[in-house]
Amino acid sequence: MVATSPKSDLRYTWKVTASSFLGNTLEYYDFLVYGTAAAVVFPKVFFPDASGFVATLSAFGTFAVGFLARPLGGLYFGSRGDRHGRKSTLMITLVVMGLSTILIGLLPGYGTIGIWAPILLVVLRLLQGFAVGGEWGGSMIIVLESAPPRRRGFFSAWPNTGGFSAQILITGVFAYVYTLSDEQLLSWGWRIPFLLSAVVLVVTYWMRRSLSETPVFTEAVATQDTKQANPIRRIFVDDWRNLLLIVGLRFAEALPYFLLTVFALSYGSGPLGLDKGQLNTAILISAVLAFVSHGVFAAISDRIGRRPVYFFGAVVVFVMAFPFFAMLHSGSMVLIVLGYVLVLNVGHNAINAIQPAFYAELFPAERRYTGAAAGREIASIFAGGLTPFIATALAGEDGTRWPLVAAYVMVGAVVTMVAVYKAPESFRRDLTATGTSVR
C-alpha cells in the first residue's frame, strides 16, 4: 500500500522542499564559510605563531575535524529520525548547527586567549559537524517521502542546491569583507559571515515548525514498532554493501566540490597570485548556474534512472582534472570560469542532483534516515573533509606539484565509476517497502 496524506499535494511538497532547501543552505553556509575563513583568515587569527604554509595546513586540519563528527551525527540523528520521526529530529539538528556557527563568530582569537582559541574552535567545529551529519539525510528524506513517486529525483534535488545558494551568500558577504583593511578583517570583519547565519536559522526554524511527519514514516510506524528497532545495528549487518557503495559514490562529487570552493581559493591566491575576487566571481557564476543544471539532471534521472546520470558526472570529473588546473594557471578569467562551469555545473552537478534520491532509495523505510545519513557522512571523512588538507600537502608549499592534485581527483572519479557499476538501479522503488535494502 502506498502511503497517502491529506497534505501530500504539490503545494505542500514545495513547502517541504523550501524548508529543506533553507536548512541545507544553512548547513552548507556554516561549513563553507568556515572553509573560506580557514583559507583566508584563520591561519593568522588562530595559528599566528606558525609559518604561512604550516598555519594553512593547521587551519585546513580544523576544517577536516568537522567531518570526523559527521558520521556520529549521521548515526545518532539518523537512528532518532527512524524511531521518532523526521521533523522533530530536523528541528534539533538545525538549532545545534546554527548556534555552533554563531559561537564561532564570537570566539576570541589566539592573541586574546592563547591556546584556548584553537581548542574552542575545534570543539565548536565538532559540534557543527555532529549536527550537520544529521541535517542532510533528514532534510532530503523528508522531501523524498513527501514527493510524487515519479518526481522524487526532481524534488529532492532542490535542497541539495543549498551548497550553491550558500556559496552565493558567502561570496556576497566576503565581497564586502575583502574590502576591509587587513586590521579590520582580522579583528572583527571575519566574524560577520558567521553571525549572519542567525538570519537563516530563524527563518528555517519558523518554516519547519509547521511541517507534518512524512506519510511514509507514518505508515512505517503503523506497520511495525520502529522504537524497538535498532537501525544502527541493522545498517551494518544488513546494509553494509550499500554503505560501502555510498562511500565510493561520494568521491567524484566531494573531491571536485571542496577542491574548487576551498582549496582553489588558497592555492589560487597564494602560489598562483590570482586575485581572490576573480576566483569568487567564478564560484558565484557556477553557483547561479547550478540551479538550472540540478533541475535538468534530476528530471532526466526520473526518466532514465539514477545510474546513467551519475556515471556521466563521474566521467566528466575524470576528464576535466588536468584541464581545470591548466585553465586556472592561465590566469584568464574566461578560462577560469569555463573550468569551474565544466567541473562543477556539468560534472559535479550531474552527481549532486540525484545523490539524495539515489542514496535514500537504497534503504528500506524503517532505517532509511540512518542508512543514507551515516553512509554519506562516513564517506565525507575520506572524500570531503580531508580534500583541502590533502590537496595542499600534495601541491607543496610553492604549488608546483599540482599534477598530483589532479591525479588525486582522477583516482577518486574512477572509484566512483566502479561504485556506480556495482550499484543497483533504484528510481522505481516503492519507498514504503520495509525489511530489505536494494541490492
mmCIF file of all heavy atoms in Angstrom, residues 316-362:
data_model
loop_
_atom_site.group_PDB
_atom_site.id
_atom_site.type_symbol
_atom_site.label_atom_id
_atom_site.label_comp_id
_atom_site.label_asym_id
_atom_site.label_seq_id
_atom_site.Cartn_x
_atom_site.Cartn_y
_atom_site.Cartn_z
ATOM 1 N N VAL A 316 32.951 13.089 -16.463
ATOM 2 C CA VAL A 316 33.308 14.494 -16.701
ATOM 3 C C VAL A 316 34.358 14.960 -15.690
ATOM 4 O O VAL A 316 35.329 15.636 -16.046
ATOM 5 C CB VAL A 316 32.064 15.403 -16.636
ATOM 6 C CG1 VAL A 316 32.469 16.876 -16.694
ATOM 7 C CG2 VAL A 316 31.113 15.072 -17.778
ATOM 8 N N VAL A 317 34.186 14.602 -14.425
ATOM 9 C CA VAL A 317 35.158 14.967 -13.390
ATOM 10 C C VAL A 317 36.524 14.374 -13.715
ATOM 11 O O VAL A 317 37.562 15.040 -13.593
ATOM 12 C CB VAL A 317 34.670 14.497 -12.005
ATOM 13 C CG1 VAL A 317 35.781 14.640 -10.957
ATOM 14 C CG2 VAL A 317 33.447 15.295 -11.571
ATOM 15 N N PHE A 318 36.545 13.124 -14.147
ATOM 16 C CA PHE A 318 37.799 12.453 -14.521
ATOM 17 C C PHE A 318 38.490 13.185 -15.672
ATOM 18 O O PHE A 318 39.686 13.500 -15.597
ATOM 19 C CB PHE A 318 37.503 11.006 -14.909
ATOM 20 C CG PHE A 318 38.718 10.239 -15.371
ATOM 21 C CD1 PHE A 318 39.503 9.554 -14.450
ATOM 22 C CD2 PHE A 318 39.067 10.190 -16.710
ATOM 23 C CE1 PHE A 318 40.627 8.851 -14.861
ATOM 24 C CE2 PHE A 318 40.183 9.485 -17.136
ATOM 25 C CZ PHE A 318 40.967 8.813 -16.211
ATOM 26 N N VAL A 319 37.747 13.476 -16.705
ATOM 27 C CA VAL A 319 38.316 14.092 -17.911
ATOM 28 C C VAL A 319 38.821 15.504 -17.637
ATOM 29 O O VAL A 319 39.821 15.951 -18.208
ATOM 30 C CB VAL A 319 37.255 14.110 -19.040
ATOM 31 C CG1 VAL A 319 37.735 14.940 -20.222
ATOM 32 C CG2 VAL A 319 36.939 12.680 -19.481
ATOM 33 N N MET A 320 38.153 16.236 -16.733
ATOM 34 C CA MET A 320 38.467 17.650 -16.511
ATOM 35 C C MET A 320 39.531 17.901 -15.448
ATOM 36 O O MET A 320 39.896 19.059 -15.204
ATOM 37 C CB MET A 320 37.193 18.407 -16.128
ATOM 38 C CG MET A 320 36.264 18.701 -17.269
ATOM 39 S SD MET A 320 37.066 19.720 -18.550
ATOM 40 C CE MET A 320 37.573 21.152 -17.596
ATOM 41 N N ALA A 321 40.065 16.872 -14.814
ATOM 42 C CA ALA A 321 41.001 17.073 -13.701
ATOM 43 C C ALA A 321 42.227 17.890 -14.110
ATOM 44 O O ALA A 321 42.538 18.924 -13.497
ATOM 45 C CB ALA A 321 41.422 15.718 -13.125
ATOM 46 N N PHE A 322 42.935 17.479 -15.137
ATOM 47 C CA PHE A 322 44.121 18.214 -15.582
ATOM 48 C C PHE A 322 43.769 19.497 -16.338
ATOM 49 O O PHE A 322 44.389 20.537 -16.107
ATOM 50 C CB PHE A 322 45.016 17.307 -16.434
ATOM 51 C CG PHE A 322 45.967 16.485 -15.616
ATOM 52 C CD1 PHE A 322 45.593 15.240 -15.134
ATOM 53 C CD2 PHE A 322 47.240 16.959 -15.316
ATOM 54 C CE1 PHE A 322 46.466 14.484 -14.364
ATOM 55 C CE2 PHE A 322 48.123 16.216 -14.553
ATOM 56 C CZ PHE A 322 47.734 14.959 -14.064
ATOM 57 N N PRO A 323 42.784 19.468 -17.241
ATOM 58 C CA PRO A 323 42.414 20.716 -17.926
ATOM 59 C C PRO A 323 42.011 21.836 -16.978
ATOM 60 O O PRO A 323 42.294 23.010 -17.256
ATOM 61 C CB PRO A 323 41.239 20.291 -18.813
ATOM 62 C CG PRO A 323 41.496 18.847 -19.095
ATOM 63 C CD PRO A 323 42.090 18.314 -17.827
ATOM 64 N N PHE A 324 41.367 21.514 -15.863
ATOM 65 C CA PHE A 324 40.968 22.574 -14.938
ATOM 66 C C PHE A 324 42.185 23.325 -14.413
ATOM 67 O O PHE A 324 42.189 24.564 -14.353
ATOM 68 C CB PHE A 324 40.173 22.008 -13.760
ATOM 69 C CG PHE A 324 39.934 23.029 -12.679
ATOM 70 C CD1 PHE A 324 38.959 24.001 -12.837
ATOM 71 C CD2 PHE A 324 40.716 23.048 -11.527
ATOM 72 C CE1 PHE A 324 38.755 24.974 -11.855
ATOM 73 C CE2 PHE A 324 40.521 24.010 -10.543
ATOM 74 C CZ PHE A 324 39.539 24.975 -10.709
ATOM 75 N N PHE A 325 43.226 22.600 -14.009
ATOM 76 C CA PHE A 325 44.413 23.267 -13.496
ATOM 77 C C PHE A 325 45.107 24.085 -14.579
ATOM 78 O O PHE A 325 45.665 25.156 -14.303
ATOM 79 C CB PHE A 325 45.377 22.245 -12.891
ATOM 80 C CG PHE A 325 45.031 21.860 -11.488
ATOM 81 C CD1 PHE A 325 44.255 20.735 -11.224
ATOM 82 C CD2 PHE A 325 45.452 22.637 -10.418
ATOM 83 C CE1 PHE A 325 43.915 20.387 -9.926
ATOM 84 C CE2 PHE A 325 45.116 22.295 -9.116
ATOM 85 C CZ PHE A 325 44.351 21.167 -8.866
ATOM 86 N N ALA A 326 45.072 23.598 -15.812
ATOM 87 C CA ALA A 326 45.641 24.379 -16.913
ATOM 88 C C ALA A 326 44.886 25.691 -17.079
ATOM 89 O O ALA A 326 45.494 26.753 -17.307
ATOM 90 C CB ALA A 326 45.597 23.565 -18.206
ATOM 91 N N MET A 327 43.565 25.645 -16.966
ATOM 92 C CA MET A 327 42.750 26.854 -17.067
ATOM 93 C C MET A 327 43.022 27.799 -15.897
ATOM 94 O O MET A 327 43.087 29.016 -16.072
ATOM 95 C CB MET A 327 41.269 26.476 -17.110
ATOM 96 C CG MET A 327 40.860 25.734 -18.365
ATOM 97 S SD MET A 327 39.146 25.151 -18.282
ATOM 98 C CE MET A 327 38.938 24.474 -19.934
ATOM 99 N N LEU A 328 43.201 27.231 -14.714
ATOM 100 C CA LEU A 328 43.482 28.048 -13.531
ATOM 101 C C LEU A 328 44.840 28.727 -13.670
ATOM 102 O O LEU A 328 44.989 29.918 -13.367
ATOM 103 C CB LEU A 328 43.452 27.162 -12.282
ATOM 104 C CG LEU A 328 43.376 27.858 -10.920
ATOM 105 C CD1 LEU A 328 42.060 28.620 -10.780
ATOM 106 C CD2 LEU A 328 43.498 26.831 -9.794
ATOM 107 N N HIS A 329 45.828 27.996 -14.158
ATOM 108 C CA HIS A 329 47.179 28.539 -14.317
ATOM 109 C C HIS A 329 47.248 29.598 -15.417
ATOM 110 O O HIS A 329 48.165 30.427 -15.410
ATOM 111 C CB HIS A 329 48.162 27.408 -14.633
ATOM 112 C CG HIS A 329 48.621 26.649 -13.434
ATOM 113 N ND1 HIS A 329 49.904 26.701 -12.932
ATOM 114 C CD2 HIS A 329 47.946 25.811 -12.595
ATOM 115 C CE1 HIS A 329 50.007 25.942 -11.869
ATOM 116 N NE2 HIS A 329 48.831 25.374 -11.645
ATOM 117 N N SER A 330 46.313 29.572 -16.336
ATOM 118 C CA SER A 330 46.341 30.553 -17.435
ATOM 119 C C SER A 330 46.127 31.975 -16.926
ATOM 120 O O SER A 330 46.588 32.936 -17.541
ATOM 121 C CB SER A 330 45.261 30.219 -18.467
ATOM 122 O OG SER A 330 43.963 30.529 -17.972
ATOM 123 N N GLY A 331 45.422 32.116 -15.818
ATOM 124 C CA GLY A 331 45.128 33.444 -15.291
ATOM 125 C C GLY A 331 44.018 34.155 -16.035
ATOM 126 O O GLY A 331 43.607 35.253 -15.646
ATOM 127 N N SER A 332 43.514 33.543 -17.103
ATOM 128 C CA SER A 332 42.433 34.142 -17.898
ATOM 129 C C SER A 332 41.102 33.957 -17.191
ATOM 130 O O SER A 332 40.718 32.835 -16.854
ATOM 131 C CB SER A 332 42.388 33.489 -19.279
ATOM 132 O OG SER A 332 41.184 33.798 -19.952
ATOM 133 N N MET A 333 40.381 35.054 -16.986
ATOM 134 C CA MET A 333 39.096 34.976 -16.308
ATOM 135 C C MET A 333 38.118 34.095 -17.069
ATOM 136 O O MET A 333 37.366 33.317 -16.485
ATOM 137 C CB MET A 333 38.512 36.382 -16.127
ATOM 138 C CG MET A 333 37.227 36.411 -15.322
ATOM 139 S SD MET A 333 37.511 35.825 -13.637
ATOM 140 C CE MET A 333 35.839 35.748 -13.025
ATOM 141 N N VAL A 334 38.129 34.193 -18.389
ATOM 142 C CA VAL A 334 37.225 33.404 -19.223
ATOM 143 C C VAL A 334 37.500 31.912 -19.050
ATOM 144 O O VAL A 334 36.574 31.111 -18.863
ATOM 145 C CB VAL A 334 37.346 33.803 -20.707
ATOM 146 C CG1 VAL A 334 36.512 32.863 -21.587
ATOM 147 C CG2 VAL A 334 36.896 35.243 -20.910
ATOM 148 N N LEU A 335 38.773 31.530 -19.095
ATOM 149 C CA LEU A 335 39.125 30.118 -18.964
ATOM 150 C C LEU A 335 38.875 29.600 -17.549
ATOM 151 O O LEU A 335 38.465 28.455 -17.363
ATOM 152 C CB LEU A 335 40.590 29.911 -19.348
ATOM 153 C CG LEU A 335 40.922 30.080 -20.836
ATOM 154 C CD1 LEU A 335 42.415 29.879 -21.080
ATOM 155 C CD2 LEU A 335 40.113 29.090 -21.676
ATOM 156 N N ILE A 336 39.120 30.438 -16.556
ATOM 157 C CA ILE A 336 38.866 30.025 -15.173
ATOM 158 C C ILE A 336 37.373 29.762 -14.964
ATOM 159 O O ILE A 336 36.981 28.748 -14.385
ATOM 160 C CB ILE A 336 39.375 31.093 -14.178
ATOM 161 C CG1 ILE A 336 40.902 31.134 -14.203
ATOM 162 C CG2 ILE A 336 38.877 30.797 -12.767
ATOM 163 C CD1 ILE A 336 41.503 32.250 -13.385
ATOM 164 N N VAL A 337 36.538 30.660 -15.449
ATOM 165 C CA VAL A 337 35.089 30.473 -15.328
ATOM 166 C C VAL A 337 34.656 29.226 -16.090
ATOM 167 O O VAL A 337 33.840 28.424 -15.590
ATOM 168 C CB VAL A 337 34.331 31.705 -15.852
ATOM 169 C CG1 VAL A 337 32.831 31.417 -15.951
ATOM 170 C CG2 VAL A 337 34.562 32.899 -14.934
ATOM 171 N N LEU A 338 35.201 29.027 -17.293
ATOM 172 C CA LEU A 338 34.857 27.842 -18.080
ATOM 173 C C LEU A 338 35.241 26.569 -17.327
ATOM 174 O O LEU A 338 34.474 25.590 -17.310
ATOM 175 C CB LEU A 338 35.576 27.879 -19.429
ATOM 176 C CG LEU A 338 35.320 26.689 -20.363
ATOM 177 C CD1 LEU A 338 33.845 26.582 -20.721
ATOM 178 C CD2 LEU A 338 36.178 26.806 -21.626
ATOM 179 N N GLY A 339 36.410 26.578 -16.687
ATOM 180 C CA GLY A 339 36.832 25.417 -15.904
ATOM 181 C C GLY A 339 35.880 25.122 -14.772
ATOM 182 O O GLY A 339 35.510 23.966 -14.545
ATOM 183 N N TYR A 340 35.464 26.161 -14.061
ATOM 184 C CA TYR A 340 34.519 25.975 -12.958
ATOM 185 C C TYR A 340 33.176 25.449 -13.465
ATOM 186 O O TYR A 340 32.567 24.572 -12.848
ATOM 187 C CB TYR A 340 34.316 27.299 -12.213
ATOM 188 C CG TYR A 340 35.248 27.487 -11.046
ATOM 189 C CD1 TYR A 340 36.534 27.979 -11.223
ATOM 190 C CD2 TYR A 340 34.853 27.151 -9.758
ATOM 191 C CE1 TYR A 340 37.410 28.146 -10.152
ATOM 192 C CE2 TYR A 340 35.705 27.317 -8.675
ATOM 193 C CZ TYR A 340 36.986 27.806 -8.883
ATOM 194 O OH TYR A 340 37.845 27.955 -7.821
ATOM 195 N N VAL A 341 32.699 25.967 -14.569
ATOM 196 C CA VAL A 341 31.406 25.541 -15.111
ATOM 197 C C VAL A 341 31.451 24.072 -15.536
ATOM 198 O O VAL A 341 30.532 23.295 -15.232
ATOM 199 C CB VAL A 341 30.990 26.434 -16.298
ATOM 200 C CG1 VAL A 341 29.792 25.839 -17.035
ATOM 201 C CG2 VAL A 341 30.658 27.842 -15.815
ATOM 202 N N LEU A 342 32.517 23.682 -16.227
ATOM 203 C CA LEU A 342 32.612 22.301 -16.706
ATOM 204 C C LEU A 342 32.739 21.305 -15.554
ATOM 205 O O LEU A 342 32.080 20.263 -15.545
ATOM 206 C CB LEU A 342 33.798 22.159 -17.662
ATOM 207 C CG LEU A 342 33.645 22.847 -19.025
ATOM 208 C CD1 LEU A 342 34.943 22.754 -19.816
ATOM 209 C CD2 LEU A 342 32.502 22.224 -19.819
ATOM 210 N N VAL A 343 33.578 21.634 -14.574
ATOM 211 C CA VAL A 343 33.783 20.699 -13.466
ATOM 212 C C VAL A 343 32.574 20.670 -12.527
ATOM 213 O O VAL A 343 32.076 19.597 -12.171
ATOM 214 C CB VAL A 343 35.055 21.057 -12.671
ATOM 215 C CG1 VAL A 343 35.191 20.132 -11.454
ATOM 216 C CG2 VAL A 343 36.287 20.929 -13.545
ATOM 217 N N LEU A 344 32.085 21.854 -12.141
ATOM 218 C CA LEU A 344 31.006 21.914 -11.169
ATOM 219 C C LEU A 344 29.629 21.729 -11.793
ATOM 220 O O LEU A 344 28.862 20.854 -11.382
ATOM 221 C CB LEU A 344 31.054 23.237 -10.407
ATOM 222 C CG LEU A 344 32.192 23.387 -9.378
ATOM 223 C CD1 LEU A 344 32.085 24.734 -8.666
ATOM 224 C CD2 LEU A 344 32.156 22.259 -8.353
ATOM 225 N N ASN A 345 29.294 22.540 -12.791
ATOM 226 C CA ASN A 345 27.926 22.525 -13.321
ATOM 227 C C ASN A 345 27.622 21.320 -14.191
ATOM 228 O O ASN A 345 26.464 20.893 -14.264
ATOM 229 C CB ASN A 345 27.656 23.806 -14.101
ATOM 230 C CG ASN A 345 27.756 25.047 -13.235
ATOM 231 O OD1 ASN A 345 28.522 25.951 -13.518
ATOM 232 N ND2 ASN A 345 27.007 25.092 -12.152
ATOM 233 N N VAL A 346 28.633 20.769 -14.841
ATOM 234 C CA VAL A 346 28.398 19.587 -15.679
ATOM 235 C C VAL A 346 28.754 18.304 -14.926
ATOM 236 O O VAL A 346 27.929 17.402 -14.791
ATOM 237 C CB VAL A 346 29.185 19.669 -17.003
ATOM 238 C CG1 VAL A 346 28.911 18.429 -17.862
ATOM 239 C CG2 VAL A 346 28.824 20.935 -17.766
ATOM 240 N N GLY A 347 29.980 18.235 -14.408
ATOM 241 C CA GLY A 347 30.405 17.018 -13.724
ATOM 242 C C GLY A 347 29.791 16.844 -12.354
ATOM 243 O O GLY A 347 29.011 15.920 -12.113
ATOM 244 N N HIS A 348 30.115 17.755 -11.451
ATOM 245 C CA HIS A 348 29.635 17.650 -10.072
ATOM 246 C C HIS A 348 28.118 17.699 -9.976
ATOM 247 O O HIS A 348 27.507 16.905 -9.248
ATOM 248 C CB HIS A 348 30.244 18.774 -9.226
ATOM 249 C CG HIS A 348 29.648 18.888 -7.864
ATOM 250 N ND1 HIS A 348 28.506 19.628 -7.605
ATOM 251 C CD2 HIS A 348 30.007 18.339 -6.677
ATOM 252 C CE1 HIS A 348 28.210 19.545 -6.338
ATOM 253 N NE2 HIS A 348 29.098 18.775 -5.741
ATOM 254 N N ASN A 349 27.466 18.615 -10.671
ATOM 255 C CA ASN A 349 26.020 18.786 -10.543
ATOM 256 C C ASN A 349 25.232 17.583 -11.035
ATOM 257 O O ASN A 349 24.153 17.287 -10.511
ATOM 258 C CB ASN A 349 25.554 20.032 -11.283
ATOM 259 C CG ASN A 349 25.992 21.328 -10.626
ATOM 260 O OD1 ASN A 349 25.726 22.399 -11.137
ATOM 261 N ND2 ASN A 349 26.704 21.244 -9.511
ATOM 262 N N ALA A 350 25.753 16.866 -12.042
ATOM 263 C CA ALA A 350 25.077 15.660 -12.513
ATOM 264 C C ALA A 350 25.003 14.620 -11.399
ATOM 265 O O ALA A 350 24.038 13.861 -11.285
ATOM 266 C CB ALA A 350 25.808 15.083 -13.723
ATOM 267 N N ILE A 351 26.032 14.596 -10.561
ATOM 268 C CA ILE A 351 26.070 13.674 -9.430
ATOM 269 C C ILE A 351 25.248 14.213 -8.264
ATOM 270 O O ILE A 351 24.411 13.519 -7.685
ATOM 271 C CB ILE A 351 27.531 13.451 -8.983
ATOM 272 C CG1 ILE A 351 28.319 12.755 -10.094
ATOM 273 C CG2 ILE A 351 27.588 12.661 -7.685
ATOM 274 C CD1 ILE A 351 29.802 12.667 -9.821
ATOM 275 N N ASN A 352 25.499 15.459 -7.912
ATOM 276 C CA ASN A 352 24.887 16.058 -6.735
ATOM 277 C C ASN A 352 23.363 16.142 -6.837
ATOM 278 O O ASN A 352 22.653 16.019 -5.846
ATOM 279 C CB ASN A 352 25.465 17.459 -6.527
ATOM 280 C CG ASN A 352 25.284 17.971 -5.118
ATOM 281 O OD1 ASN A 352 25.722 17.347 -4.160
ATOM 282 N ND2 ASN A 352 24.631 19.114 -4.980
ATOM 283 N N ALA A 353 22.859 16.330 -8.055
ATOM 284 C CA ALA A 353 21.418 16.484 -8.251
ATOM 285 C C ALA A 353 20.637 15.237 -7.860
ATOM 286 O O ALA A 353 19.525 15.333 -7.341
ATOM 287 C CB ALA A 353 21.123 16.847 -9.705
ATOM 288 N N ILE A 354 21.212 14.070 -8.116
ATOM 289 C CA ILE A 354 20.460 12.841 -7.872
ATOM 290 C C ILE A 354 20.952 12.071 -6.649
ATOM 291 O O ILE A 354 20.391 11.035 -6.294
ATOM 292 C CB ILE A 354 20.508 11.911 -9.103
ATOM 293 C CG1 ILE A 354 21.944 11.502 -9.410
ATOM 294 C CG2 ILE A 354 19.876 12.591 -10.299
ATOM 295 C CD1 ILE A 354 22.047 10.492 -10.523
ATOM 296 N N GLN A 355 21.977 12.600 -5.996
ATOM 297 C CA GLN A 355 22.530 11.934 -4.824
ATOM 298 C C GLN A 355 21.490 11.685 -3.719
ATOM 299 O O GLN A 355 21.420 10.570 -3.178
ATOM 300 C CB GLN A 355 23.684 12.776 -4.280
ATOM 301 C CG GLN A 355 24.635 12.036 -3.383
ATOM 302 C CD GLN A 355 25.791 12.923 -2.963
ATOM 303 O OE1 GLN A 355 25.626 13.818 -2.145
ATOM 304 N NE2 GLN A 355 26.961 12.689 -3.532
ATOM 305 N N PRO A 356 20.660 12.677 -3.364
ATOM 306 C CA PRO A 356 19.686 12.432 -2.283
ATOM 307 C C PRO A 356 18.752 11.271 -2.574
ATOM 308 O O PRO A 356 18.555 10.389 -1.735
ATOM 309 C CB PRO A 356 18.921 13.764 -2.207
ATOM 310 C CG PRO A 356 19.841 14.773 -2.766
ATOM 311 C CD PRO A 356 20.607 14.064 -3.842
ATOM 312 N N ALA A 357 18.168 11.267 -3.769
ATOM 313 C CA ALA A 357 17.236 10.198 -4.118
ATOM 314 C C ALA A 357 17.949 8.852 -4.224
ATOM 315 O O ALA A 357 17.468 7.835 -3.706
ATOM 316 C CB ALA A 357 16.541 10.529 -5.438
ATOM 317 N N PHE A 358 19.089 8.841 -4.871
ATOM 318 C CA PHE A 358 19.831 7.602 -5.103
ATOM 319 C C PHE A 358 20.210 6.941 -3.780
ATOM 320 O O PHE A 358 19.993 5.733 -3.579
ATOM 321 C CB PHE A 358 21.084 7.908 -5.926
ATOM 322 C CG PHE A 358 21.708 6.714 -6.582
ATOM 323 C CD1 PHE A 358 21.038 5.501 -6.684
ATOM 324 C CD2 PHE A 358 22.986 6.802 -7.123
ATOM 325 C CE1 PHE A 358 21.620 4.400 -7.310
ATOM 326 C CE2 PHE A 358 23.581 5.713 -7.754
ATOM 327 C CZ PHE A 358 22.896 4.512 -7.839
ATOM 328 N N TYR A 359 20.764 7.707 -2.842
ATOM 329 C CA TYR A 359 21.206 7.136 -1.571
ATOM 330 C C TYR A 359 20.021 6.644 -0.742
ATOM 331 O O TYR A 359 20.042 5.543 -0.199
ATOM 332 C CB TYR A 359 21.975 8.178 -0.755
ATOM 333 C CG TYR A 359 23.322 8.561 -1.329
ATOM 334 C CD1 TYR A 359 23.770 8.073 -2.558
ATOM 335 C CD2 TYR A 359 24.160 9.429 -0.654
ATOM 336 C CE1 TYR A 359 24.990 8.431 -3.086
ATOM 337 C CE2 TYR A 359 25.391 9.797 -1.168
ATOM 338 C CZ TYR A 359 25.805 9.306 -2.382
ATOM 339 O OH TYR A 359 27.009 9.672 -2.901
ATOM 340 N N ALA A 360 19.000 7.479 -0.614
ATOM 341 C CA ALA A 360 17.861 7.135 0.242
ATOM 342 C C ALA A 360 17.077 5.944 -0.298
ATOM 343 O O ALA A 360 16.542 5.138 0.473
ATOM 344 C CB ALA A 360 16.947 8.339 0.400
ATOM 345 N N GLU A 361 16.993 5.824 -1.612
ATOM 346 C CA GLU A 361 16.239 4.733 -2.231
ATOM 347 C C GLU A 361 16.903 3.370 -2.028
ATOM 348 O O GLU A 361 16.285 2.333 -2.272
ATOM 349 C CB GLU A 361 16.051 5.003 -3.718
ATOM 350 C CG GLU A 361 15.058 6.124 -4.007
ATOM 351 C CD GLU A 361 15.134 6.631 -5.433
ATOM 352 O OE1 GLU A 361 16.103 6.280 -6.154
ATOM 353 O OE2 GLU A 361 14.239 7.399 -5.832
ATOM 354 N N LEU A 362 18.156 3.364 -1.593
ATOM 355 C CA LEU A 362 18.858 2.100 -1.360
ATOM 356 C C LEU A 362 18.422 1.409 -0.069
ATOM 357 O O LEU A 362 18.715 0.226 0.133
ATOM 358 C CB LEU A 362 20.377 2.351 -1.307
ATOM 359 C CG LEU A 362 21.051 2.810 -2.603
ATOM 360 C CD1 LEU A 362 22.518 3.142 -2.332
ATOM 361 C CD2 LEU A 362 20.938 1.756 -3.698
#
